Amino acid sequence: MDMGSYIVKRILLAIPLLFVISLITFVLINLSLLDPAVVVLQAQEVPQITDELIAQTNEALGFDKPFVIQYVNWLIACMQFDFGSSYVSGEPVWSLVGPAFLNTLKLTLVSSVFIIGLSILLGVICAMREGRAVDKSVRGLSFVLTAIPSYWLAAILIWYLSVKLDLLPTSGMDSFKSYILPVIVITVSYTGIYFRTVRSSMLSNMNEDYVLYGRASGLSERKVTLHILRNSLQVAVSIFCMAIPIVLGSTVVIENVFAWPGLGRLSVRSILNRDFPIIQAYVLILAVTFVLFNTISDVINAAMNPRLRKDL
Amino acid sequence: MNIVEVKHLKVWDANTDKVIIHNSSFQVKQGSCLAIVGESGSGKSVTCRSIMRLNKPWIRLSGTILFKGEDLNQLSEQEMRRRRGKNLCMILQNGMSAFDPSCVIGVHIRETLQTHFNWNNRESERKIISAMESVMLKNPQEILNQYPHQLSGGMLQRIMIALALVLEPDLIIADEPTTALDTISQYEVVEQLIRLRERMGCSMLFISHDLGVVQKIADEVMVMKDGAIVESGDIRSVFSKPEHTYTQYLVTTRLELSNHFRKLMQEGT
């Protein structure tokens, strides 16, 4: 199968998945025992909630319609980036979620570049020097760093670099300097896991017959290593592609520590306020990002590995 | 004259201090084929890899390995690399895993030929294609653009033989080249290996535990067990008058098997 039709097929396969995800998102939120009309009225700080008011709100927001119709209406609106209005402020959800998503995405992408770059670099170095001092010390250090809770590391860094030495801003998102601390914290907590994948993948490839045959054919060590790297990175590509949405979805702690105006902070605030439309949009956006990156990873893998293109 | 002379080869694992080969001395005569026979773990493959200097770094060895009179262990890594492929050519057991799975076959061949010769792409391709035709591979041009998983084990084995044909090595080390194949492919590969020897007059070190194949291709045989050579000599004398109990065991089990098979065939008719 050529790459073009593979990509088309892969995208077509993602569509039903997106439908299922949207349905699950919608059902989960509606499973909540709270009456949405009451929540809206409470959020708007209406002094006395009467049955009449509840009925009015239900009608105004379409909560009185059958479940399926509510879902279809919501889905059609979502496709046009209309996620409804915040229960609390009444602003359109997208005007809150959109910019927050962009901020989190920026942080995630910058961190991912460092996570991926460092993981490949350390993974390759450790695999080439398996069992030697470099390998042992890098693995030992990564063990410690991965075990450190990110909020603790963040607090220490803020205290030392921002408060004591006054080198970097403590929080916010003003200049490129604001990126340094959160990126360090995110990179430290993920690199330790991902570089191990690269290392073990390199090691298992180094024991393959094609490496022996390459060497036995007189190929230079550089050429043999390139073959090993090419095959090892195939495993890593899928993991790295999934790392981006994983980081994206788990910046909640970091964003709260560094007061980063991103999706994580917004979602926590919305959960506390029971601002259902925002929570719904947050869950949906994350799920779509996962599907998107999963598709991208499959396509990259298929481009690198012809065996995967065979059947779909 | 001997092309390879191994004297007092001892191989051990530096991590576990386990001795893999105790004290092995043998030689391969110019133009002849020496078969190494023995069960798995008897040290056959390690012997070959010791000659190629391709053992894992923690596998250490002592003794001398003379190839055309020079001690391979004294060579620098770069000098050794220049001899691999060009002078000492290896054919592996499993063709399916011997080529990089994410590259087409042509990539390995081009890289190998460009390492050893100053040919351009067109010249390399012309040489390998005529070699592939001579080992009965159809549509060689097409095969060069295919991935290993699109070809059969027997075809990949013959591609390795074709590559050896172009490289014209002094010694071919074939590490169980027929073990992973079905009977028909086995037959084809053995035929090609025999023809390869006839055409180039090169020496061969042939590892196998298939005595039938060994009888067909080898001039001399060496039986290994638990890292030691238990018997060696001319193929006919070893097979007709095995002296060591292990060799006797190998030969009689083979006879019993083929007798049993013959009886079954007779009962069938």
Side-chain angles (χ1 to χ4, degrees):
Chain A
M1 196 189 305
D2 67 296
M3 270 317 283
S5 48
Y6 178 87
I7 294 172
V8 172
K9 266 199 176 170
R10 192 62 194 75
I11 290 171
L12 288 179
L13 275 176
I15 290 173
L17 195 60
L18 287 173
F19 268 107
V20 174
I21 286 169
S22 71
L23 186 66
I24 293 173
T25 312
F26 191 76
V27 170
L28 278 181
I29 298 290
N30 281 279
L31 275 181
S32 161
L33 291 173
L34 299 162
D35 184 345
V38 176
V39 174
V40 176
L41 292 170
Q42 274 173 348
Q44 288 166 353
E45 290 173 354
V46 176
Q48 194 153 22
I49 299 169
T50 58
D51 286 346
E52 199 184 332
L53 257 176
I54 291 177
Q56 269 176 15
T57 319
N58 271 335
E59 205 189 323
L61 295 174
F63 294 145
D64 55 343
K65 299 211 177 70
F67 183 78
V68 179
I69 293 180
Q70 277 188 53
Y71 168 67
V72 172
N73 286 341
W74 173 76
L75 191 63
I76 290 169
C78 280
M79 283 181 193
Q80 298 157 339
F81 288 98
D82 172 12
F83 297 95
S85 312
S86 159
Y87 288 171
V88 179
S89 63
E91 287 172 81
V93 169
W94 184 244
S95 73
L96 294 167
V97 170
F101 177 69
L102 209 64
N103 288 342
T104 300
L105 193 66
K106 279 183 201 160
L107 183 60
T108 305
L109 290 181
V110 174
S111 308
S112 300
V113 168
F114 282 96
I115 294 172
I116 294 171
L118 263 179
S119 297
I120 293 177
L121 187 71
L122 292 176
V124 170
I125 290 175
C126 286
M128 305 288 274
R129 298 273 178 277
E130 189 201 358
R132 311 254 190 94
V134 191
D135 180 33
K136 281 181 183 158
S137 46
V138 169
R139 275 192 297 156
L141 187 67
S142 83
F143 206 71
V144 176
L145 289 178
T146 314
I148 293 176
S150 51
Y151 59 85
W152 186 81
L153 182 65
I156 295 284
L157 287 176
I158 290 174
W159 169 74
Y160 191 72
L161 293 175
S162 306
V163 179
K164 223 168 162 222
L165 300 179
D166 199 19
L167 289 174
L168 298 165
T170 53
S171 63
M173 187 187 163
D174 310 312
S175 66
F176 84 93
K177 273 187 171 178
S178 319
Y179 280 89
I180 298 177
L181 286 183
V183 167
I184 290 178
V185 174
I186 297 174
T187 309
V188 164
S189 41
Y190 286 93
T191 306
I193 306 164
Y194 289 116
F195 104 88
R196 269 158 206 276
T197 319
V198 177
R199 178 182 174 276
S200 67
S201 173
M202 283 283 288
L203 285 179
S204 73
N205 267 290
M206 282 158 91
N207 284 323
E208 289 288 330
D209 277 351
Y210 71 83
V211 177
L212 176 68
Y213 189 52
R215 290 207 175 107
S217 301
L219 298 188
S220 65
E221 233 7 66
R222 196 181 61 86
K223 274 195 179 136
V224 174
T225 310
L226 282 178
H227 282 289
I228 299 174
L229 200 59
R230 188 191 159 108
N231 284 287
S232 310
L233 287 186
Q234 273 168 30
V235 183
V237 162
S238 10
I239 295 162
F240 284 144
C241 279
M242 292 325 277
I244 295 172
I246 288 172
V247 174
L248 195 71
S250 56
T251 50
V252 177
V253 175
I254 299 297
E255 284 183 6
N256 277 300
V257 174
F258 289 103
W260 193 268
L263 213 49
R265 266 182 97 205
L266 181 68
S267 68
V268 171
R269 208 170 55 218
S270 311
I271 291 167
L272 294 175
N273 289 338
R274 297 198 180 117
D275 204 342
F276 286 167
I278 295 184
I279 303 170
Q280 228 164 13
Y282 171 72
V283 174
L284 189 69
I285 285 175
L286 272 192
V288 170
T289 324
F290 265 94
V291 174
L292 184 74
F293 276 95
N294 195 11
T295 310
I296 292 175
S297 112
D298 278 1
V299 169
I300 296 177
N301 263 324
M304 285 172 81
N305 187 348
R307 271 173 299 180
L308 297 175
R309 247 175 281 160
K310 252 197 325 192
D311 38 33
L312 188 74
Chain B
M1 194 210 152
N2 294 327
I3 185 113
V4 176
E5 235 178 301
V6 175
K7 287 179 201 159
H8 308 297
L9 176 69
K10 183 185 169 190
V11 184
W12 68 95
D13 186 327
N15 287 346
T16 59
D17 283 332
K18 189 180 165 278
V19 178
I20 304 165
I21 293 169
H22 298 279
N23 182 358
S24 139
S25 299
F26 63 91
Q27 53 277 323
V28 184
K29 292 196 191 85
Q30 174 75 51
S32 98
C33 174
L34 170 71
I36 307 182
V37 184
E39 60 200 14
S40 325
S42 59
K44 297 173 299 187
S45 290
V46 174
T47 305
C48 288
R49 288 179 197 189
S50 303
I51 297 173
M52 294 294 287
R53 273 179 49 186
L54 284 175
N55 277 319
K56 297 271 176 258
W58 55 88
I59 305 286
R60 305 283 158 75
L61 58 87
S62 67
T64 47
I65 299 172
L66 297 178
F67 172 71
K68 294 210 289 194
E70 62 181 353
D71 189 348
L72 291 180
N73 281 320
Q74 303 300 324
L75 296 179
S76 72
E77 184 49 41
Q78 206 191 343
E79 287 170 316
M80 187 63 214
R81 192 186 306 136
R82 231 176 283 143
R83 280 164 184 71
R84 287 191 200 122
K86 185 76 199 73
N87 301 106
L88 297 150
C89 188
M90 239 182 140
I91 292 171
L92 296 193
Q93 175 182 143
N94 197 341
M96 279 299 186
S97 55
F99 294 91
D100 181 343
S102 38
C103 293
V104 292
I105 296 296
V107 171
H108 176 90
I109 289 171
R110 208 179 314 126
E111 281 182 348
T112 307
L113 294 182
Q114 276 166 1
T115 306
H116 298 293
F117 304 102
N118 285 323
W119 296 338
N120 59 26
N121 281 347
R122 190 139 34 90
E123 233 174 326
S124 309
E125 198 164 282
R126 200 170 47 78
K127 298 238 160 124
I128 190 69
I129 283 179
S130 78
M132 284 164 83
E133 276 164 353
S134 73
V135 294
M136 305 298 169
L137 283 164
K138 291 184 194 81
N139 302 328
Q141 183 77 54
E142 211 172 288
I143 290 176
L144 288 179
N145 287 320
Q146 275 175 318
Y147 291 93
H149 72 269
Q150 294 170 307
L151 303 166
S152 73
M155 286 166 94
L156 291 161
Q157 215 78 31
R158 279 184 280 158
I159 293 170
M160 286 195 253
I161 297 175
L163 189 55
L165 266 173
V166 181
L167 290 165
E168 295 184 328
D170 303 291
L171 175 74
I172 289 180
I173 300 179
D175 189 352
E176 310 212 19
T178 57
T179 308
L181 302 176
D182 59 86
T183 324
I184 293 171
S185 312
Q186 242 180 37
Y187 173 79
E188 287 171 348
V189 167
V190 170
E191 283 301 301
Q192 291 309 326
L193 282 171
I194 292 171
R195 286 194 52 207
L196 177 74
R197 278 192 60 212
E198 284 168 358
R199 238 178 305 177
M200 305 198 317
C202 67
S203 320
M204 190 181 278
L205 195 57
F206 188 89
I207 301 189
S208 183
H209 47 237
D210 184 338
L211 297 186
V213 174
V214 166
Q215 258 176 323
K216 247 180 123 174
I217 197 166
D219 307 307
E220 282 176 287
V221 67
M222 172 172 124
V223 183
M224 284 188 82
K225 188 178 190 326
D226 302 328
I229 302 171
V230 296
E231 187 161 1
S232 66
D234 181 70
I235 187 127
R236 267 174 225 93
S237 60
V238 170
F239 277 178
S240 56
K241 286 198 265 328
E243 277 169 15
H244 194 272
T245 37
Y246 181 65
T247 322
Q248 286 166 358
Y249 165 75
L250 283 180
V251 174
T252 47
T253 20
R254 181 176 147 70
L255 278 179
E256 266 168 34
L257 264 175
S258 53
N259 282 342
H260 182 63
F261 180 70
R262 217 170 289 147
K263 222 192 268 170
L264 280 177
M265 291 298 282
Q266 277 163 359
E267 274 168 21
T269 50

